[in-house]
Amino acid sequence: MLLGTVDHLTDQIRELDRLIACTLEEITTAYDGSGEGPSTGGVNARDLAEKLDAVPGIGPATAQIILAEIGADMSRFPTPEHLVSWAKLCPRTIQSGAKSTTGPAGQGNPWLKGALGEAANAAARTDTFLGARYRRIVKRRGHAKALVAVARSILVITWHLINDPDASYQELGADWHQRHLNPARKTRDLVRQLQALGHQVTLEAAST
């Protein structure tokens, strides 16, 4: 009886996979070729799912969930920030009189946030740009906020991949932050680390 139940559920999953694949084939978003909105031509949702699958942390099922929740037409979201705000992946500003503070993000779409959370958790364990971003933020903001930041980055990448039919994911590398970090800021961080270890630091410019 248990084996029969397993076979029945397996058949249902296979049928759902078939229906999802058919739906992706039917969804086509038109573009004018400039990456700024729909007009003529078309991009298949299956191709969009494959593009999203290249992003660290996003698998085929997650890509399908993201497309199901935000759609394949980004004209409703003029910028990535609009999409991030709609998904409630940015801090809220709470203003009381002249005082402004940041509060937790809202609820947003639970299915989208759940899929992005799983993708961010998977990307955090990779030796990629997103993984390095998580490791930089978790040291000062904690695990939960670091995951939200990575999920936000994944959603911004998603917007660009969907909005521009010619775009493809390009890995920046885990050392991107080190290569592009402001020299003065990097010096300040290193001095702070040495001072925390009990050293007195005196900086002197190297002779050229």
Side-chain angles (χ1 to χ4, degrees):
M1 291 177 63
L2 291 176
L3 289 175
T5 301
V6 171
D7 292 339
H8 174 67
L9 294 176
T10 301
D11 290 339
Q12 287 188 315
I13 293 173
R14 188 179 297 112
E15 176 61 15
L16 288 173
D17 288 338
R18 186 189 67 80
L19 292 174
I20 291 173
C22 292
T23 303
L24 290 176
E25 291 288 349
E26 294 171 357
I27 298 176
T28 301
T29 301
Y31 292 91
D32 59 5
S34 64
E36 298 181 351
S39 115
T40 60
V43 175
N44 191 276
R46 177 180 56 81
D47 296 332
L48 293 178
E50 292 178 356
K51 289 170 64 175
L52 296 181
D53 189 18
V55 180
I58 296 183
T62 303
Q64 293 170 359
I65 294 173
I66 292 174
L67 286 174
E69 299 306 325
I70 69 176
D73 181 4
M74 292 295 100
S75 62
R76 74 189 80 181
F77 304 114
T79 66
E81 288 73 22
H82 284 82
L83 177 58
V84 169
S85 178
W86 175 81
K88 297 295 189 292
L89 285 176
C90 55
R92 290 187 299 124
T93 300
I94 302 174
Q95 186 169 358
S96 178
K99 183 178 180 180
S100 296
T101 58
T102 58
Q107 295 297 320
N109 184 312
W111 306 108
L112 177 61
K113 294 188 75 172
L116 291 173
E118 291 183 5
N121 200 31
R125 298 191 295 269
T126 62
D127 188 24
T128 62
F129 168 79
L130 293 174
R133 176 168 173 75
Y134 168 83
R135 289 185 287 275
R136 290 181 68 248
I137 297 175
V138 73
K139 291 185 290 186
R140 65 180 188 274
R141 303 301 298 275
H143 174 71
K145 291 184 178 180
L147 282 184
V148 172
V150 175
R152 180 188 185 281
S153 296
I154 291 176
L155 192 57
V156 170
I157 294 171
T158 296
W159 184 91
H160 285 286
L161 292 178
I162 296 177
N163 191 59
D164 185 355
D166 298 323
S168 60
Y169 178 75
Q170 301 293 328
E171 175 56 42
L172 299 177
D175 62 340
W176 187 89
H177 294 97
Q178 293 296 328
R179 289 186 283 109
H180 293 78
L181 192 64
N182 183 284
R185 178 180 175 183
K186 186 174 183 179
T187 300
R188 185 175 65 250
D189 291 342
L190 292 174
V191 169
R192 188 182 296 117
Q193 293 176 27
L194 289 172
Q195 290 174 340
L197 294 173
H199 300 286
Q200 183 176 355
V201 180
T202 301
L203 297 178
E204 181 179 350
S207 57
T208 57

